[in-house]
Amino acid sequence: MSKQSEYIVALSDPAARDAGRFGPKAANQAALAHAGLPTPGGFCLSAEAYTAQVEALGLAEVAEKAVTLDFLEARTFISQIRIAMFDAPMIAGIKGPLIKAYRNLTGDTGMLVAVRSSSLMEDTEGASFAGQFQTYLGIENEKDLLTAVHGCWGALWSSRALRYMDSKDIKAVDTAMSVLVQPLIQAIASGGGMSKTAGGGMSVTATWGLGEPIAQGEVVPDRYDLSADGRLLETVAGRKGHTIHCHLHGAPTTKAVAKDQVSEPCLNETQVRKLGSMMKKAENLMGGPVEIEWAMDEAGIKMLQARPLHLEPA
């Protein structure tokens, strides 16, 4: 098999569990699926593709200067590599396999996809990178797919990511960016969860539609407190005034929630207990407490992410 064809690996392939090639985010998704937990599926573009793009554009020296010079001197080089990662054409050895994998995934269904960054340093101990990189929802064609991949690559060189890396003594040239491409869940509800809280139980959050309003702090999500063995102890309804959905031939849309649904819990007890059970499975798989993201469509609940949850003493 040629190196070029190895840039793309389906999440169903055991090779996708290699965090050194696909980043912990994608590798964890693959591990969850292989353990029998429901996920959206999809494929990942390896960090080697990012490295090949940097080398093909002759940016290796520029990148080195961007992280070794002082801030004022480095700004020009940071801008140069960011612009190149966004604007320079994708090399054929990456573009061809990427488009082929996208067509195989979507077929003639008109499926929308999510394109998500998966840095090699993301979701590692002491460096979660939560909110530092990019996720693109509702991608519906090949042109937008390519744009989204470029956006994920370029996000490695954003000001906020570089500041975060600097605080963790990480240099952008010492890491690389993989990209995760998955079917977009047409979510009835979405949210997060922790398999262990400070009190020793578990916790789930939820809102209507996609989970973006939680990530952006735009709604107060429902909170469901569970015991360590998964019993629902308390439901605290949130204030979920709007919801976000993606539709074909249109950008993600914001819609007001009906008044009687604003403070109506998104999940019933059975669904909450199901999430508790899934978190425990993920915890056993990953060898410690986890923080998850999930989405629920008509077919049921799917795990979108699981990362180690690092708890400090009270």
Side-chain angles (χ1 to χ4, degrees):
M1 184 181 291
S2 71
K3 182 175 178 60
Q4 289 181 355
S5 63
E6 290 178 347
Y7 287 145
I8 304 286
V9 169
L11 282 171
S12 58
D13 189 320
R17 291 179 289 186
D18 185 351
R21 293 184 62 206
F22 303 106
K25 181 188 290 183
N28 290 346
Q29 267 282 286
L32 292 172
H34 296 163
L37 285 159
T39 69
F43 65 87
C44 27
L45 177 67
S46 72
E48 296 146 324
Y50 165 88
T51 303
Q53 180 80 358
V54 170
E55 291 175 351
L57 298 177
L59 294 172
E61 185 177 344
V62 173
E64 189 65 35
K65 289 180 178 179
V67 298
T68 54
L69 296 175
D70 66 56
F71 177 72
L72 289 178
E73 289 182 298
R75 286 175 64 183
T76 299
F77 299 102
I78 293 170
S79 296
Q80 185 177 340
I81 193 168
R82 266 181 63 77
I83 291 169
M85 296 312 291
F86 278 107
D87 290 347
M90 190 177 292
I91 61 175
I94 302 170
K95 182 178 178 180
L98 176 61
I99 293 297
K100 181 179 179 181
Y102 172 74
R103 290 174 179 172
N104 289 340
L105 178 65
T106 59
D108 298 322
T109 63
M111 176 193 295
L112 299 177
V113 303
V115 178
R116 311 169 68 196
S117 65
S118 181
S119 160
L120 298 190
M121 295 292 183
E122 206 166 347
D123 294 347
T124 56
E125 186 167 358
S128 72
F129 282 89
Q132 300 298 317
F133 297 131
Q134 290 290 345
T135 293
Y136 297 91
L137 303 176
I139 300 300
E140 63 175 299
N141 57 55
E142 294 169 8
K143 179 181 177 182
D144 289 347
L145 170 72
L146 297 177
T147 299
V149 171
H150 280 287
C152 289
W153 284 345
L156 191 62
W157 293 91
S158 70
S159 297
R160 65 181 181 180
L162 290 172
R163 284 196 299 268
Y164 185 86
M165 281 187 269
D166 188 54
S167 73
K168 303 295 182 182
D169 200 25
I170 298 169
K171 286 183 166 44
V173 291
D174 296 330
T175 186
M177 182 65 78
S178 174
V179 180
L180 186 55
V181 181
Q182 297 183 283
L184 180 71
I185 301 300
Q186 295 296 343
I188 299 168
S190 304
M194 294 186 294
S195 70
K196 188 174 183 179
T197 65
M202 294 188 283
S203 181
V204 169
T205 57
T207 191
W208 300 116
L210 295 169
E212 194 69 9
I214 298 180
Q216 300 302 325
E218 297 171 354
V219 299
V220 178
D222 299 335
R223 191 187 80 236
Y224 307 86
D225 295 329
L226 298 85
S227 64
D229 61 1
R231 290 178 293 110
L232 179 60
L233 301 177
E234 184 179 18
T235 296
V236 181
R239 294 285 299 175
K240 309 167 296 291
H242 68 273
T243 181
I244 293 178
H245 292 275
C246 290
H247 303 283
L248 198 60
H249 309 311
T253 57
T254 301
K255 183 180 177 182
V257 172
K259 288 184 179 180
D260 63 344
Q261 294 289 302
V262 170
S263 296
E264 180 72 17
C266 299
L267 302 173
N268 59 37
E269 182 173 354
T270 300
Q271 292 161 341
V272 174
R273 289 176 63 89
K274 175 69 173 176
L275 277 163
S277 173
M278 291 166 71
M279 284 194 289
K280 282 301 182 186
K281 269 192 174 182
E283 188 177 75
N284 292 336
L285 179 68
M286 299 179 68
V290 296
E291 181 180 4
I292 70 162
E293 295 175 16
W294 59 270
M296 180 177 71
D297 60 10
E298 292 182 353
I301 298 170
K302 294 180 177 62
M303 298 274 275
L304 304 181
Q305 189 166 340
R307 53 178 171 258
L309 176 63
H310 305 292
L311 298 171
E312 299 292 338

